């Protein structure tokens, strides 16, 4: 296929070429992969500045999206690649291939660097979903930092750089610039820009930004950061959001309230308990969805109201393809037991969905929330169970609400159990978006200004 880039895509590619360390914060659907691959093609085959690139991505994105993008565009011919997923022997075989690009899933970064015994001879790294390296305590972050100084160029791609607040940014930019802008140590960054927030005597649970901290953080990272929103550069389809409320009956409400108050409840002769506040949150989410796990991992049914609401939505769609996001395994089991559905797991599932062969498809946000192109298969998403993660929420919505969507309207339904934790999750997702939007706005590329 011939590549006819938008102005913003040319701008973003040029930004990567000009900046050895680049944070490319592009909204979902703007084509981060082809933008980056175009820069890689130029650096390898025209400028001879790079010889081998390591692309790190979520598993399904590494396996499906990046190879598809390389094969899709005519101008990328000549870019050889291998995909290092699967068994250890399969990964090693792929990494030994003398290709320009090695693509690996992020879960195997530590293995590659510390266990594979293969030489780390890359002069460029691309991290697709930089936000998955936001924890400085994670094994993948620590492993990548060991070899970071060996690499000349690095690109971090994400649409959600600070999904849980500004604290996320330190590890991400520590990888990019080795600590030049936000400091080499998380403690120094925290002391300079944050104040203790929630605490119990000497134990601090969370931090809040100091006055003026946001502006200063954005100012420091602006020179290597480009940010764009899809709505600013694409004729995006209209996105309609709808909340479908369901209500527990008196008996179900009593069980939910007792769980909330006592951290334990007996339902159908089975005991459901939570050992602490965090576990309680999970149990309440399960009960709001209609079932819960006992200590022995047995499933206890609470109600079928969300299943009934899902049935109404399926019937109302009249054969129009639906994408359903679930959270707990018992959600998956109960949905599959009641409806003729298919879970999107393998490459063939994704191909069949985009070909319109699957009327109702199921995805889990943690495994299918990043990078998959699903917009060809439908334009309606249903959240059966919600997630606290703004990043996974936004990324999952962007599987359909993105460039290439054929429908003029994308509809996102949320099935919400009234007066439960579902309503609090929806409010939390809305509040977190304020910080996310502030960052994206602060470093947004001003194409007209730069062109002037």
């Amino acid at each position: 296929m011939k590549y006819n880039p938008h102005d913003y895509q040319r701008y973003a590619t040029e930004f990567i070429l000009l900046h050895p360390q680049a944070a490319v914060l592009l909204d979902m659907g703007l084509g981060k992969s082809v933008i980056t691959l175009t820069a890689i093609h130029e650096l390898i085959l025209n400028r001879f500045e790079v010889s081998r690139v390591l692309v790190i991505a979520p598993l399904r994105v590494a396996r499906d999206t990046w190879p598809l993008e390389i094969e899709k565009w005519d101008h990328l011919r000549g870019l050889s690649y291998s995909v290092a997923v699967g068994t250890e022997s399969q990964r090693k075989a792929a990494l030994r291939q003398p290709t320009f690009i090695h693509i690996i899933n992020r879960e195997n970064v530590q293995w590659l660097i510390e266990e594979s015994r293969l030489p780390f001879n890359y002069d460029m790294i691309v991290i697709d979903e930089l936000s998955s390296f936001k924890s400085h305590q994670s094994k993948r972050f620590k492993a990548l930092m060991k070899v970071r100084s060996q690499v000349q160029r690095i690109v971090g791609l994400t649409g959600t750089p600070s999904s849980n607040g500004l604290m996320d940014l330190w590890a991400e930019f520590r990888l990019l610039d080795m600590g030049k802008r936000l400091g080499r140590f998380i403690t120094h960054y925290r002391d300079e820009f944050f104040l203790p927030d929630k605490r119990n005597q000497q134990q601090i649970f969370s931090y809040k930004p100091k006055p003026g901290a946001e502006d200063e953080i954005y100012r420091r990272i602006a020179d290597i950061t480009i940010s764009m929103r899809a709505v600013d550069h694409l004729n995006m389809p209209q996105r309609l959001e709808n909340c479908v409320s369901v209500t527990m009956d008196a008996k179900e409400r009593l069980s939910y309230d007792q769980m909330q108050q006592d951290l334990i409840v007996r339902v159908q002769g089975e005991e459901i308990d939570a050992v602490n506040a965090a576990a309680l949150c999970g149990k309440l989410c399960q009960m709001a969805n209609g079932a819960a796990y006992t200590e022995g991992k047995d499933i206890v049914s609470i109600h079928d109201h969300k299943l009934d609401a899902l049935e109404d939505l399926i019937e109302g769609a009249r054969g129009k393809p639906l994408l359903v996001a679930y959270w707990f395994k018992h959600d998956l089991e109960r949905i599959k037991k009641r409806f003729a559905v298919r879970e999107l797991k393998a490459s063939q599932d994704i191909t069949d969905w985009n070909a319109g062969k699957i009327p109702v498809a199921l995805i889990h946000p943690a495994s299918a929330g990043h990078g998959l192109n699903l917009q060809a298969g439908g334009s309606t998403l249903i959240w059966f169970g919600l997630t606290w993660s703004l990043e996974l929420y936004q990324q999952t919505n962007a599987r359909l609400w993105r460039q290439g969507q054929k429908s003029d309207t994308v509809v996102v339904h949320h099935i919400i159990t009234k007066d439960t934790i579902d309503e609090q999750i929806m409010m939390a997702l809305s509040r977190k978006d304020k910080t996310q939007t502030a960052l994206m706005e602060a470093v947004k590329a001003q194409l007209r200004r730069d062109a002037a």
Side-chain angles (χ1 to χ4, degrees), residues 13 16-17 34-44 124:
T13 295
I16 293 173
L17 294 173
V34 68
I35 286 170
T36 308
L37 286 167
T38 303
I40 291 173
H41 185 278
E42 174 70 17
L43 289 168
I44 291 178
M124 182 175 181

Side-chain angles (χ1 to χ4, degrees), residues 334-397:
R334 292 164 62 232
I335 293 171
K336 292 175 72 173
K337 184 177 181 180
R338 182 156 171 178
F339 306 104
V341 299
R342 183 166 157 190
E343 191 177 0
L344 300 186
K345 296 190 295 184
S347 299
Q348 190 60 50
D349 298 325
I350 296 168
T351 299
D352 289 347
W353 162 261
N354 281 324
K357 297 179 180 180
I358 305 177
V360 182
L362 299 179
I363 60 169
H364 192 285
S367 60
H370 291 91
L372 295 182
N373 296 319
L374 304 178
Q375 68 273 19
S379 59
T380 301
L381 172 66
I382 301 172
W383 284 90
F384 183 88
L386 294 170
T387 170
W388 286 100
S389 170
L390 174 68
E391 176 183 358
L392 293 181
Y393 175 73
Q394 290 182 330
Q395 292 279 2
T396 302
N397 288 340

